[in-house]
Amino acid sequence: MGGFFAVASKENCVLDLFFGTDYHSHLGTRRAGMAVHGAEGFNRAIHNIQNSPFRTKFEQDVEELDGNLGIGCISDFDPQPLLVHSHLGSFAITCVGKINNADALIQECFEKGFSHFLEMSNGNINQTEIVAALINQKNSLVDGLKFVQEKVEGSMTVLVMTDKGIYCSRDRLGRTPVILGKKDGAYCASFESFAYLNLGYDHLKDLGPAEIVYMTPEGVETVSEPGEEMKICSFLWVYYGYPTSTYEGVNVEEMRYACGRMLAKRDKDNVHPDSVAGVPDSGIAHAVGYANESGIPFSRPFIKYTPTWPRSFMPTTQSQRNLIAKMKLIPVDGLIRDKKLLLIDDSIVRGTQLRETTEFLYHSGAKEVHIRPACPPLVYGCKFLNFSRSSSELDLITRRIIQEREGDNPSAETLQDYADPDSQNYAEMVEEIRKRLNFTSLRFHRLDDLVESIGLPKCKLCTYCWDGKE
């Protein structure tokens, strides 16, 4: 995943760009960058943010950068924005998404006369450079952006900044958002709708799927109309989106309240915990919704240590992530000892962290620990966004259990059966997860309830990681 922010202003835009980009720090933890254009042309700064927040790395750059046009990004993967000079002129480019057919696209570029790509230290090609190469195969930036939407298998949202304005291109099926804001003398484009509010911008519009706009200090022009089909990522509401963000008219915090209410309705009177809690931070709103619906008190038996962990920093290795997930949550003994707890987390991926959390609760004196994930079991690895660092579907606890039960290559029909909440295979898989992770009880959010919690038609949502349907 990743986040982006862009500004086109009649005045210096650097402060707006700095704060707007910083408000996307929850979406990426490896690289960040800002590029601006002003009287002295293009200028850029890129920093590693693995060990410190965006703000601390870019404070000095705010003093040095100057321009009225700017794009910034937070990335979990490749360094960007890139500065490019081609037959289309000079431009800066940043993107969010996933290219599944990168090798084929690189080979196609070579066959069309492209001489080389710059290999990064890990041996891979920066996907933003691949996108730039695709754009440069056409005779205009707009045609090039349309070509990217056509050729990339996966998803790709792109910002391109020239010396006159900024092109904003939402991915073909709208899996990630692009949201525009306006104020006197300036326009902005953002992944997160809240990122511009404290900067004085008002909401202008959400780009439609595949829509391309050209943004200048004077206005915003649609240069390629939106498509009809949309598949926005449902996981944005469940986990990735910040609580104050709104996508397609649906606020993240309100959706999570609705999700918790649906979980409580499914439970009815089957469990009798002393309190309901959410795993900080993404599980908290789901737990508030559950508590409000059930009448069971909400509590916070874990408090995140925000002086050290003010953002969603996570290192790249699983062992380090497990340690940090444990270290940043501080228990409250009086809310745990001799208590029956119902705990809501956004999801169960590998299960390692939640198992350790549950064991710690028992060690701290909890009588019962009931788990209610705020989404269905993850059965399929995401093909469209880099929302998980999993290198294999066998990183998913569901797929490991299915492999043990069905062998190495279960059929599509078999996987569909395990994803069906009304099937016997589903019930047995959930019970096996419960036993392995040592929960008192386990009930996942149903997909039909999740869709209802969001409130958009299912045909507008990407639910691939749960039901395998593209």
Side-chain angles (χ1 to χ4, degrees):
M1 286 291 286
F4 55 79
F5 195 78
V7 183
S9 174
K10 294 179 180 178
E11 301 177 350
N12 192 316
C13 73
V14 174
L15 273 179
D16 280 7
L17 181 64
F18 172 74
F19 287 113
T21 305
D22 182 53
Y23 271 136
H24 290 81
S25 291
H26 57 290
L27 290 172
T29 60
R30 294 186 64 180
R31 303 284 185 271
M34 297 192 301
V36 299
H37 185 275
E40 297 182 0
F42 290 93
N43 203 349
R44 178 188 63 171
I46 294 177
H47 295 293
N48 184 317
I49 57 169
Q50 286 180 287
N51 296 311
S52 60
F54 172 90
R55 186 179 293 112
T56 61
K57 287 293 184 75
F58 284 85
E59 286 176 335
Q60 184 63 39
D61 298 300
V62 171
E63 304 297 325
E64 299 174 358
L65 295 175
D66 182 74
N68 69 309
L69 300 173
I71 59 175
C73 70
I74 301 282
S75 176
D76 240 357
F77 292 91
D78 303 337
Q80 46 178 327
L82 301 183
L83 298 181
V84 178
H85 183 73
S86 75
H87 72 287
L88 298 176
S90 296
F91 58 86
I93 179 171
T94 190
C95 59
V96 169
K98 184 177 182 181
I99 303 177
N100 294 323
N101 59 332
D103 290 343
L105 293 177
I106 291 169
Q107 185 59 38
E108 185 176 317
C109 288
F110 288 150
E111 291 171 357
K112 292 184 177 180
F114 201 84
S115 63
H116 69 278
F117 288 89
L118 298 178
E119 194 171 79
M120 296 187 295
S121 57
N122 60 8
N124 295 323
I125 306 301
N126 190 324
Q127 73 170 14
T128 305
E129 187 180 4
I130 298 174
V131 171
L134 293 175
I135 291 172
N136 288 327
Q137 291 182 31
K138 298 299 179 180
N139 293 322
S140 72
L141 289 172
V142 174
D143 286 342
L145 289 167
K146 290 180 181 179
F147 188 57
V148 170
Q149 293 175 348
E150 172 191 332
K151 297 293 289 185
V152 168
E153 295 176 8
S155 71
M156 192 52 58
T157 289
V158 188
L159 302 180
V160 172
M161 179 177 71
T162 70
D163 60 348
K164 297 291 193 299
I166 301 169
Y167 291 92
C168 309
S169 171
R170 189 175 179 185
D171 66 278
R172 184 175 63 85
L173 294 177
R175 297 186 189 278
T176 52
V178 181
I179 302 164
L180 305 184
K182 67 173 181 177
K183 66 179 179 180
D184 288 344
Y187 291 84
C188 70
S190 181
F191 184 111
E192 296 283 42
S193 65
F194 74 90
Y196 51 72
L197 297 179
N198 288 343
L199 299 173
Y201 293 84
D202 294 318
H203 179 261
L204 177 61
K205 64 176 286 188
D206 290 32
L207 264 61
E211 184 174 1
I212 304 173
V213 299
Y214 181 57
M215 185 172 71
T216 68
E218 286 71 38
V220 175
E221 175 191 4
T222 296
V223 293
S224 182
E225 294 294 329
E228 293 294 325
E229 186 180 4
M230 181 172 70
K231 290 288 184 181
I232 187 169
C233 175
S234 301
F235 221 64
L236 287 169
W237 286 279
V238 173
Y239 170 66
Y240 257 109
Y242 205 71
T244 47
S245 267
T246 297
Y247 313 116
E248 305 300 329
V250 180
N251 172 256
V252 170
E253 184 82 353
E254 288 184 310
M255 177 274 172
R256 292 176 183 173
Y257 292 162
C259 174
R261 288 197 299 269
M262 298 293 283
L263 283 166
K265 288 178 179 178
R266 288 287 178 183
D267 268 344
K268 297 180 181 177
D269 198 34
N270 293 328
V271 293
H272 302 89
D274 296 308
S275 65
V276 177
V279 177
D281 285 317
S282 54
I284 290 176
H286 298 293
V288 169
Y290 190 108
N292 288 343
E293 177 66 28
S294 67
I296 300 168
F298 171 81
S299 71
R300 293 199 296 163
F302 287 109
I303 308 295
K304 182 183 281 190
Y305 191 69
T306 53
T308 307
W309 308 107
R311 57 197 286 271
S312 296
F313 162 72
M314 277 290 162
T316 55
T317 64
Q318 185 61 40
S319 59
Q320 287 181 307
R321 291 203 297 274
N322 292 342
L323 176 61
I324 286 178
K326 177 181 178 181
M327 295 301 293
K328 68 183 179 181
L329 296 181
I330 311 299
V332 181
D333 185 84
L335 298 177
I336 298 173
R337 192 164 301 279
D338 298 323
K339 303 293 186 183
K340 294 180 288 185
L341 304 175
L342 189 143
L343 197 63
I344 301 183
D345 204 354
D346 53 79
S347 60
I348 296 179
V349 183
R350 296 170 180 85
T352 308
Q353 294 174 8
L354 201 52
R355 182 182 65 236
E356 291 181 353
T357 298
T358 302
E359 289 172 352
F360 184 82
L361 288 170
Y362 285 132
H363 181 75
S364 300
K367 286 183 177 180
E368 298 176 359
V369 180
H370 303 270
I371 300 296
R372 298 294 180 267
C375 71
L378 295 162
V379 178
Y380 303 84
C382 179
K383 296 168 60 175
F384 308 108
L385 299 170
N386 288 307
F387 84 79
S388 172
R389 291 189 178 91
S390 298
S391 57
S392 166
E393 287 187 323
L394 289 178
D395 286 341
L396 303 173
I397 189 171
T398 55
R399 291 302 284 268
R400 295 198 299 274
I401 291 172
I402 292 170
Q403 182 191 48
E404 292 170 13
R405 290 166 59 93
E406 306 291 345
D408 289 340
N409 297 298
S411 67
E413 292 77 11
T414 298
L415 291 175
Q416 286 288 307
D417 195 51
Y418 277 94
D420 179 359
D422 297 317
S423 74
Q424 184 65 27
N425 276 331
Y426 175 95
E428 292 175 3
M429 176 184 69
V430 171
E431 174 58 15
E432 184 62 25
I433 294 172
R434 185 200 68 77
K435 289 192 295 185
R436 292 190 185 190
L437 304 186
N438 198 25
F439 306 148
T440 305
S441 72
L442 172 64
R443 183 194 297 272
F444 286 87
H445 204 24
R446 289 174 57 104
L447 184 55
D448 50 357
D449 289 349
L450 176 64
V451 171
E452 185 175 340
S453 300
I454 296 172
L456 296 176
K458 187 177 185 300
C459 63
K460 298 287 187 182
L461 300 170
C462 180
T463 58
Y464 177 82
C465 55
W466 301 304
D467 63 7
K469 296 180 180 178
E470 299 183 35

